[in-house]
């Protein structure tokens, strides 16, 4: 499965990132795979997990939560499967999930 995220606003607006490996951490800390320079985002806010069949997201204990299509997920909720064109919000910053349809067939 090929997947990417495209930021629609915030400090990374217009930028797209491929999910090359099995996981991708988003936060403001320098150890994150995608660093978002915003005080509204936690040091490690959320993690995307990809395998050959699904793309999932996990909140990493953020104060404001991670939202999938407006629905808040918290660490106790486990992982949520995300689909093509889902809107993810972390700390007031939004990004869209793009999954290659050719790989889904």
């Amino acid at each position: 499965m090929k997947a990417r995220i495209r930021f629609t606003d915030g400090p990374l607006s217009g930028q797209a990132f491929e999910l090359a490996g099995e996981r991708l951490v988003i936060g403001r800390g320098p150890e994150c795979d995608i660093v978002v320079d915003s005080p509204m985002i936690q040091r490690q806010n959320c993690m995307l997990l990809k395998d050959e069949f699904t793309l999932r997201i996990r909140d990493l204990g953020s104060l404001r939560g991670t939202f999938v299509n407006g629905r808040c997920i918290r660490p106790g909720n486990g992982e949520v499967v995300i689909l093509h064109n889902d809107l993810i919000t972390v700390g007031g910053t939004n990004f869209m999930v793009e999954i290659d349809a050719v790989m889904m067939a």
Side-chain angles (χ1 to χ4, degrees):
M1 166 194 307
K2 290 186 179 182
R4 71 192 67 70
I5 61 172
R6 184 174 312 279
F7 283 85
T8 59
D9 61 19
L12 299 177
S13 182
Q15 294 186 47
F17 298 87
E18 297 287 329
L19 278 74
E22 294 178 359
R23 69 179 200 103
L24 182 131
V25 176
I26 298 172
R28 72 168 195 267
E31 71 280 1
C32 294
D33 301 303
I34 297 178
V35 177
V36 183
D37 187 19
S38 170
M40 302 273 297
I41 293 180
Q42 301 296 302
R43 184 173 182 90
Q44 291 186 349
N45 207 103
C46 63
M47 178 187 306
L48 296 167
L49 301 154
K50 181 182 78 164
D51 61 31
E52 58 188 297
F53 301 109
T54 61
L55 182 61
R56 301 172 317 280
I57 190 164
R58 178 189 307 161
D59 184 84
L60 297 175
S62 67
L63 295 175
R64 293 173 183 83
T66 299
F67 293 80
V68 178
N69 298 322
R71 186 177 137 236
C72 185
I73 60 171
R74 295 280 184 183
N77 295 0
E79 299 169 359
V80 174
V81 173
I82 49 180
L83 305 171
H84 181 70
N85 282 338
D86 276 354
L87 176 67
I88 311 298
T89 303
V90 291
T93 298
N94 297 303
F95 60 88
M96 297 291 293
V97 175
E98 300 172 347
I99 299 173
D100 190 336
V102 173
M103 298 302 288
M104 292 172 44

